[in-house]
Amino acid sequence: MSYDDEAIMLKELGYDGISQIYGGGDELVKRVNAYKKHGLKVLSVYLAASEKPINADVVKALEDGGMIELTVKNITPEVIESIRKTAEMAAQLNIRVALYPHHGNAVATMPQAIDLVEKVNHPNLGIMFNLCHFLKNEKAEDLERVLGKAAPYLFSVSTCGADLNGKDWDTLIQPLDKGTFPQKRLFTTLKYLNFSGPVGLQCYAVKGDKHTNLKNSIEAWKTILNELQ
């Protein structure tokens, strides 16, 4: 789909925008401009930390309210320093930087993300909670405890339908109306912690018709919000 058609569909379904975009630069500018025309937001780009800080030109299109979701495959003193410099660069553009715990990486769990945030020690660096990676790498029964410890650094949340005992991405990333994981549990915890950041829908490699999946997911989201009242 074109960026315009994508934005039109998401707006009609009731979404506020899109996040976790690959890449940046000129292509990101095009997408941001297309979404703005329809009153929607491109919230974040999905990038990997390395020994070189992220260049401002890559993310400038997200200035004044955007976010960098940052995966960390390896941790060295050079990587730690580059993340600090990325956080400082982004702060100048009013873009937040959130570590993205990802299965198989050096930062794969929330405790590992908390540890790295504290090592970097920059106020513009926080953490993103991603339900599918949490269930893949950590124990579901630890959810409340983990979120409680992460709360001071929690910048954003990503959820999806998931099976409590899921082992692969087909069972851990589903439309929001599917799966055995109780979404109310997650959002009751976030409400208790006074979390007020953005919530995204993880859609990676979800099978089936995109429009149908997105429609069913936004309806499930409305149900979750009603249950929290």
Side-chain angles (χ1 to χ4, degrees), residues 13-14 17 44 48 58 75 87 99 104 112 139 162 187-188 192 197 221 228:
L13 288 170
S44 65
V58 174
I75 298 176
L99 297 181
Q112 288 168 343
K139 296 178 180 178
F187 289 99
T188 297
Y192 173 78
W221 174 243
L228 291 177

Side-chain angles (χ1 to χ4, degrees), residues 59-103:
V59 297
K60 195 174 188 314
L62 297 182
E63 65 182 329
D64 295 326
M67 188 176 295
I68 297 170
E69 297 175 17
L70 201 61
T71 59
V72 184
K73 294 182 179 179
N74 302 292
I75 298 176
T76 65
E78 292 79 11
V79 169
I80 291 173
E81 181 58 25
S82 84
I83 293 173
R84 187 178 294 115
K85 289 178 178 176
T86 293
E88 180 57 31
M89 172 279 295
Q92 302 304 313
L93 296 172
N94 192 25
I95 295 172
R96 303 180 101 185
V97 182
L99 297 181
Y100 183 114
H102 191 293
H103 174 68

Side-chain angles (χ1 to χ4, degrees), residues 19-36:
S19 59
Q20 211 171 101
I21 299 303
Y22 286 99
D26 292 341
E27 203 60 33
L28 180 60
V29 170
K30 293 177 186 176
R31 196 169 206 156
V32 167
N33 289 338
Y35 272 62
K36 276 183 179 177

Side-chain angles (χ1 to χ4, degrees), residues 103-161:
H103 174 68
N105 286 355
V107 175
T109 66
M110 294 296 284
Q112 288 168 343
I114 293 169
D115 183 61
L116 184 54
V117 165
E118 291 176 346
K119 284 178 179 174
V120 173
N121 190 28
H122 193 288
N124 195 41
L125 182 69
I127 300 170
M128 175 181 189
F129 175 82
N130 195 311
L131 179 66
C132 66
H133 288 285
F134 172 77
L135 293 175
K136 180 75 170 175
N137 293 289
E138 304 180 57
K139 296 178 180 178
E141 56 265 32
D142 291 340
L143 178 74
E144 290 80 3
R145 179 181 61 81
V146 167
L147 284 173
K149 287 187 174 182
Y153 313 112
L154 196 60
F155 282 5
S156 64
V157 167
S158 172
T159 193
C160 57

Side-chain angles (χ1 to χ4, degrees), residues 159-177:
T159 193
C160 57
D163 289 336
L164 270 169
N165 297 313
K167 302 300 181 187
D168 56 21
W169 299 130
D170 282 348
T171 52
L172 291 172
I173 306 177
Q174 303 179 51
L176 196 56
D177 61 317

